[in-house]
Amino acid sequence: MNMDRMTKKLCFLAVPAVAVLVSATVLAAEPLPFPTLNIGVGAASKPGDVAMTIQIFLLLTVLSLAPGLLIMTTSFTRISVVLSFVRTAMGTQQAPSNQIILALSMFLTFFIMSPVWQQINKDAYQPWKAQQISQDQALERAVKPVRTFMLTQTREKDLALFVSLSKLPRPKNADDIPTLTIIPAFMISELRTAFQIGFLIYIPFIVVDMVVASVLMSMGMMMLPPVMISLPFKILLFVLVDGWGLVIGSLVKSFG
């Protein structure tokens, strides 16, 4: 009886193995076809084909420059610089890491820029999707909210600087200023504002460093690095005053 049971078990275990071998044999006898991809350059039969090709090429170029456009025309620059200042002022080395700072900056950018993007979707994308306006009109409408946002955050001095550098005639109003002139002026203004906020962030941490250094010198501990002692106190101070809430709240409010 034991031999019969063992034989049945061996036969039962051999069935899957036989099935695998049969499947492998069938696949080896009939190889799976692989898809082929052909890319070629042919003669255009009408001017519309050339225009469509150029549009596809420009679209791919814009998509490759999308991260740069996100940095140049949104609140990402100010947020990322200020958060970097916070980490440097605290002296926590790589905490939070660069990935966390960039991710937080990106999501805060989405939060701040959502009204602008909703207006673009309402005024430009949806009418163009419904074929109510042309592509050129959609692009013109999409640029207006972004220009308005950048102009409200740009100093007149920075804007006048790039207008003079571009050697353009004196504009009568904001509509006469090219977008390519507004973008660098906006970035310079964002960097200036970010450094101002960073200076204010540095002040309480410098005070903590000075107090700790003075205490260590008065105790005669000249060889003990003050940064090592002040770091826990700076972290404690930042947590007690809800530092992240204050920094993020100030950043969001700074955009009006």
Side-chain angles (χ1 to χ4, degrees), residues 111-173:
F111 177 77
I112 294 171
M113 298 297 297
S114 60
V116 177
W117 292 337
Q118 288 175 3
Q119 186 177 356
I120 293 174
N121 179 65
K122 178 182 177 181
D123 298 339
Y125 178 71
Q126 293 299 332
W128 174 75
K129 184 179 179 181
Q131 298 183 353
Q132 297 176 356
I133 59 176
S134 63
Q135 183 176 356
D136 295 336
Q137 292 175 334
L139 291 175
E140 184 179 355
R141 292 186 182 184
V143 171
K144 286 183 178 180
V146 179
R147 284 172 54 93
T148 302
F149 171 80
M150 290 191 294
L151 287 172
T152 55
Q153 304 298 327
T154 304
R155 294 193 310 159
E156 293 184 3
K157 185 177 180 180
D158 295 330
L159 196 59
L161 171 64
F162 283 94
V163 169
S164 62
L165 290 176
S166 61
K167 298 180 181 180
L168 295 173
R170 185 180 181 85
K172 297 179 181 179
N173 49 42

Side-chain angles (χ1 to χ4, degrees), residues 70-133:
L70 179 66
I71 294 174
M72 291 186 296
T73 61
T74 62
S75 57
F76 185 87
T77 301
R78 183 188 305 184
I79 297 172
S80 60
V81 172
V82 170
L83 294 181
S84 298
F85 270 121
V86 172
R87 183 179 64 182
T88 306
M90 291 179 63
T92 53
Q93 300 294 330
Q94 295 296 324
S97 62
N98 292 330
Q99 290 83 358
I100 295 177
I101 289 180
L102 293 177
L104 181 58
S105 302
M106 183 179 65
F107 283 107
L108 286 176
T109 300
F110 291 157
F111 177 77
I112 294 171
M113 298 297 297
S114 60
V116 177
W117 292 337
Q118 288 175 3
Q119 186 177 356
I120 293 174
N121 179 65
K122 178 182 177 181
D123 298 339
Y125 178 71
Q126 293 299 332
W128 174 75
K129 184 179 179 181
Q131 298 183 353
Q132 297 176 356
I133 59 176

Side-chain angles (χ1 to χ4, degrees), residues 5-40:
R5 291 180 180 178
M6 187 176 297
T7 304
K8 290 180 180 179
K9 289 182 180 180
L10 291 175
C11 293
F12 180 76
L13 293 174
V15 171
V18 174
V20 171
L21 292 175
V22 172
S23 301
T25 305
V26 172
L27 291 176
E30 299 179 0
L32 294 175
F34 291 98
T36 59
L37 178 64
N38 295 323
I39 300 176

Side-chain angles (χ1 to χ4, degrees), residues 167-237:
K167 298 180 181 180
L168 295 173
R170 185 180 181 85
K172 297 179 181 179
N173 49 42
D175 296 334
D176 296 336
I177 305 176
T179 303
L180 293 179
T181 303
I182 297 176
I183 291 176
F186 167 73
M187 293 190 68
I188 294 298
S189 297
E190 288 292 282
L191 289 174
R192 182 179 183 273
T193 305
F195 274 72
Q196 289 177 341
I197 299 175
F199 171 76
L200 297 177
I201 291 173
Y202 255 97
I203 292 178
F205 295 112
I206 291 177
V207 172
V208 174
D209 286 333
M210 292 177 64
V211 171
V212 172
S214 300
V215 172
L216 291 177
M217 289 184 64
S218 64
M219 295 175 64
M221 298 180 179
M222 304 288 294
M223 303 301 294
L224 186 63
V227 177
M228 183 182 300
I229 305 301
S230 64
L231 179 59
F233 291 100
K234 289 190 289 186
I235 295 176
L236 179 62
L237 174 65

